Amino acid sequence: MSLERLSAEEIRAVEAILAAAAGEGRGFLHEHEVYAVLQVLGLETPTCHFAARPEELSAGVLAEFGSEQLVLKIVSGDIPHKTGVGGVRKVPRDRERVRAAMRRMREEVLAHPRFAGRPPRIDGFLVTSFVEYSKDLGREALIGFKENLAFGPVVSFSKGGTDAEHFARHFSSPNVRLLPLTLAECRALIESTSIYRKYVAEGTLGYAEKLTHAVHRLALLCAHFSSLNPDPPAHIFAELEVNPFVLDDRGELLAIDGLARILPRSQALALSTPPNARGLDAIFWPSGVAVLGVSASDPGKTGNHVATLLHEMGRKDLHLVNPRGGTVEI
């Protein structure tokens, strides 16, 4: 099986992103850093800007956004699901209104009952362009990667969006494949889903092509930056999830949310063990050989031939077995 690989330039670019996060003492990537990884892979993401404080947001930065509506998100490694705590909202592209929304968001998130007695660390805010898309089935997809001690690195594909976990629990569990994966195997993964049947019915098989490409690029990334790699880089992914990839109103595939956990190479899973030939000793160096089915009445039996062959090889520890008993001359 011939597998594609990331280019040396792509590997170096991703290594730099992971090293920067690890250098700050983080075992995770912020969302804009996940976007940077995806951009290295050639996958599309919204225009975005990270600001540690509201005062860092300038009018010049906002001028880079193509949409009049923006999405503001809290940035915190302690909050994997930002929507449920008021950490995501739509705002107009106006510097003072965005700054005011940042201050308000910080106060409301810190006061959320979920964090009573243990306020989360807030590293800043992410401003992204607003993406118009339908939330119909098939327009939001979750593509994820996780290391599993039982199976090793796996890639999953399922319906995405804020109700992805509910959908997976009650309607359709994620479709999972072991790494590494070829492009054809990624296409087979997409075609095995109910979502693909909708694309066939709608005549939108181009969506399946775009999702296949995204799964394949992420599979190549995770095959290299995981315990599957016999010579892993300095840092690997323990988990990487994009939820969701969306098909926007132009039919383009974009990642509009993402999370990732990383580990140093020293914590890579032991997915293989050295060969142990001790269990084969009894086959190659037995202390005795039992030959079943030797016949006292029919010297042409296979067991008799085997016993004769072993005797001629010099074995003196033969045990000839037949429940009927008897004697045989070799």
Side-chain angles (χ1 to χ4, degrees):
M1 178 173 62
S2 176
L3 291 170
E4 294 181 37
R5 299 179 184 276
L6 297 181
S7 69
E9 293 76 14
E10 290 168 336
I11 290 171
R12 285 194 294 269
V14 174
E15 285 177 335
I17 295 168
L18 302 191
E24 295 180 4
R26 287 188 279 121
F28 61 89
L29 299 186
H30 289 312
E31 184 175 335
H32 58 284
E33 293 169 324
V34 176
Y35 285 171
V37 170
L38 297 177
Q39 290 164 7
V40 170
L41 300 178
L43 301 175
E44 192 170 350
T45 66
T47 302
C48 69
H49 179 76
F50 170 77
R53 299 180 304 279
E55 295 73 26
E56 293 182 3
L57 187 67
S58 68
V61 166
L62 292 183
E64 298 175 5
F65 291 82
S67 60
E68 291 302 316
Q69 293 292 321
L70 306 176
V71 176
L72 176 64
K73 301 181 182 182
I74 203 80
V75 175
S76 170
D78 296 333
I79 311 175
H81 302 293
K82 300 177 284 291
T83 303
V85 297
V88 180
R89 67 184 56 174
K90 189 162 67 170
V91 293
R93 193 179 65 173
D94 176 87
R95 183 180 61 175
E96 294 310 315
R97 294 179 71 175
V98 175
R99 285 178 169 181
M102 287 176 170
R103 299 185 186 100
R104 206 161 49 245
M105 178 178 284
R106 178 188 291 274
E107 294 173 359
E108 293 174 1
V109 168
L110 290 174
H112 195 277
R114 182 179 298 179
F115 305 118
R118 47 182 182 86
R121 170 181 167 174
I122 295 177
D123 294 308
F125 306 89
L126 184 66
V127 181
T128 75
S129 55
F130 179 71
V131 178
E132 294 278 2
Y133 70 96
S134 167
K135 293 193 175 183
D136 289 348
L137 181 66
R139 298 300 181 94
E140 297 177 295
L142 184 158
I143 302 175
F145 159 83
K146 185 174 288 189
E147 293 222 317
N148 183 297
L149 187 57
F151 300 103
V154 298
V155 166
S156 62
F157 172 82
S158 65
K159 179 192 179 302
T162 55
D163 60 350
E165 291 183 6
H166 178 83
F167 188 87
R169 186 177 301 114
H170 298 288
F171 297 98
S172 177
S173 57
N175 297 269
V176 178
R177 294 292 187 275
L178 302 179
L179 292 178
L181 292 172
T182 64
L183 182 63
E185 288 168 334
C186 293
R187 177 65 186 218
L189 168 62
I190 301 300
E191 292 182 358
S192 69
T193 67
S194 300
I195 294 173
Y196 179 77
R197 290 197 287 273
K198 185 177 182 186
Y199 295 152
V200 173
E202 291 178 343
T204 53
L205 288 178
Y207 294 168
E209 292 291 342
K210 295 177 187 295
L211 287 167
T212 296
H213 174 70
V215 172
H216 187 230
R217 294 298 289 163
L218 285 171
L220 293 179
L221 172 78
C222 296
H224 183 84
F225 289 90
S226 73
S227 301
L228 185 68
N229 189 338
D231 184 23
H235 300 91
I236 63 173
F237 289 104
E239 180 180 11
L240 174 64
E241 180 181 284
V242 178
N243 181 26
F245 272 106
V246 302
L247 290 149
D248 68 10
D249 290 350
R250 302 170 297 148
E252 297 300 321
L253 186 70
L254 293 91
I256 62 171
D257 201 354
L259 61 86
R261 292 190 300 111
I262 62 175
L263 293 172
R265 173 171 48 202
S266 60
Q267 296 183 30
L269 296 179
L271 299 179
S272 62
T273 57
N276 182 355
R278 287 196 303 268
L280 301 177
D281 289 355
I283 295 176
F284 294 104
W285 299 281
S287 57
V289 181
V291 183
L292 307 184
V294 177
S295 173
S297 60
D298 185 356
K301 287 286 188 181
T302 300
N304 294 59
H305 292 303
V306 172
T308 300
L309 177 62
L310 291 171
H311 179 68
E312 291 174 350
M313 291 171 62
R315 298 223 60 106
K316 306 297 184 182
D317 51 3
L318 297 178
H319 304 276
L320 310 185
V321 180
N322 191 308
R324 298 178 182 174
T327 60
V328 64
E329 183 176 339
I330 296 178

